[in-house]
Amino acid sequence: MNSIIDIKSHVAKGTGFHSFIGWSLLLILGPLVIIGTLLGTMGFALIGWLIAALLYYGRLKKTKARLMGSALKVSADQFPEIYSASTAIAQRLGIAEPEIFIVEDNQQNAFAIKHGSKSYVVLVDDIVYGAMATGNAGALYFVLAHELAHHALGHTGTLRSLITQHYKPLSRLDEFSCDAVAHAIVGDANAALDALTLLLIGPQLFARVNKEALKRQAAEVIANSYSKKAEHGLTHPLLLRRYSKITEIVHA
């Protein structure tokens, strides 16, 4: 992991179009909300905006305090393998390394968040344990690279996050983009597929998965015209659609 990669070349097809729609909706609806607020009592509106700004600043501080007080911070002497991997990945993405935290929860998950100018990646303990248990270190690198890619591609900015919370087609395309970036960084399709399989089935049953049968199931999902329709309202694509996208990249 040495050279900086061209992340823009891995952005999912259609992202530009849906970004335009998302930003257009924000630019149209945002001013309408502000105007509606200002049409009320001006004094109360200004007080409201001031209170909102103070609450936002307080939320930034509380978020950091909550992470520091309820999660394990990754560092050079705390899970050093994760720390060194995230440092190397951040360098390849050309970004400052975000702070990494591990939290305890009963799900396979990881997510990237940004508050103010500070970036974080939060890993749920099960995804860390599961990725290590696969025996393929690249699986954990893929998970980390996917989350750091969200920061590198600007997905975690305040306004961008607001758009994807409400405009789900763009959110789903962002996931495909980050998968493609993570695959380019790791350079190991099996690691990428192992990471997605882990999200699908969990660490306890991972070793018993018939990978050839899983590939056939993924192909059935792609062939099913209702698969995309089933994603309506979801922020993430169906996992086996993401799985198939990785195989498409490999065979492209």
Side-chain angles (χ1 to χ4, degrees):
M1 291 195 241
N2 295 312
S3 60
I4 295 177
I5 69 166
D6 178 15
I7 58 175
K8 291 184 179 179
S9 67
H10 300 287
V11 172
K13 183 179 179 181
T15 298
F17 172 73
H18 285 286
S19 292
F20 174 78
I21 293 176
W23 281 103
S24 297
L25 290 172
L26 181 66
L27 292 173
I28 292 170
L29 298 178
L32 291 177
V33 172
I34 295 173
I35 291 170
T37 302
L38 294 177
L39 287 177
T41 305
M42 182 66 74
F44 283 115
L46 292 175
I47 291 172
W49 283 108
L50 177 60
I51 291 174
L54 291 173
L55 288 174
Y56 177 70
Y57 179 77
R59 185 162 62 89
L60 299 183
K61 296 295 185 181
K62 286 190 287 187
T63 297
K64 177 63 180 292
R66 189 176 298 120
L67 281 172
M68 285 296 292
S70 303
L72 189 71
K73 184 177 179 180
V74 172
S75 64
D77 54 4
Q78 188 72 270
F79 283 86
E81 63 273 38
I82 295 178
Y83 180 77
S84 61
S86 64
T87 299
I89 292 167
Q91 289 175 349
R92 291 205 63 192
L93 291 172
I95 61 172
E97 183 186 357
E99 292 189 23
I100 313 290
F101 288 88
I102 301 174
V103 299
E104 194 282 324
D105 201 351
N106 296 318
Q107 59 177 320
Q108 304 291 312
N109 202 7
F111 52 93
I113 54 176
K114 186 174 184 179
H115 286 296
S117 60
K118 197 64 182 176
S119 299
Y120 305 94
V121 167
V122 180
L123 305 170
V124 174
D125 64 317
D126 278 3
I127 195 68
V128 175
Y129 170 81
M132 290 179 170
T134 64
N136 185 345
L140 182 56
Y141 293 165
F142 179 86
V143 172
L144 279 169
H146 176 101
E147 300 307 329
L148 267 69
H150 278 301
H151 287 305
L153 290 167
H155 299 164
T156 53
T158 302
L159 293 179
R160 188 57 157 64
S161 296
L162 180 63
I163 291 171
T164 50
Q165 283 174 20
H166 299 282
Y167 187 58
K168 306 299 173 53
L170 180 58
S171 177
R172 294 192 293 271
L173 285 170
D174 286 349
E175 294 304 315
F176 285 130
S177 296
C178 290
D179 281 348
V181 170
H183 174 259
I185 287 177
V186 176
D188 181 355
N190 288 328
L193 296 177
D194 281 352
L196 293 173
T197 302
L198 183 63
L199 290 172
L200 182 73
I201 195 65
Q204 290 81 12
L205 297 178
F206 177 86
R208 303 185 66 177
V209 172
N210 182 324
K211 294 184 178 181
E212 291 304 315
L214 180 57
K215 289 179 182 178
R216 290 195 297 270
Q217 182 183 343
E220 290 179 23
V221 170
I222 292 299
N224 187 341
S225 61
Y226 280 90
S227 292
K228 286 187 178 181
K229 296 176 183 177
E231 293 175 351
H232 181 73
L234 301 179
T235 58
H236 286 53
L238 299 178
L239 271 168
L240 289 187
R241 287 230 305 132
R242 291 173 63 186
Y243 188 101
S244 293
K245 285 289 185 181
I246 293 297
T247 59
E248 288 176 13
I249 292 172
V250 173
H251 294 106

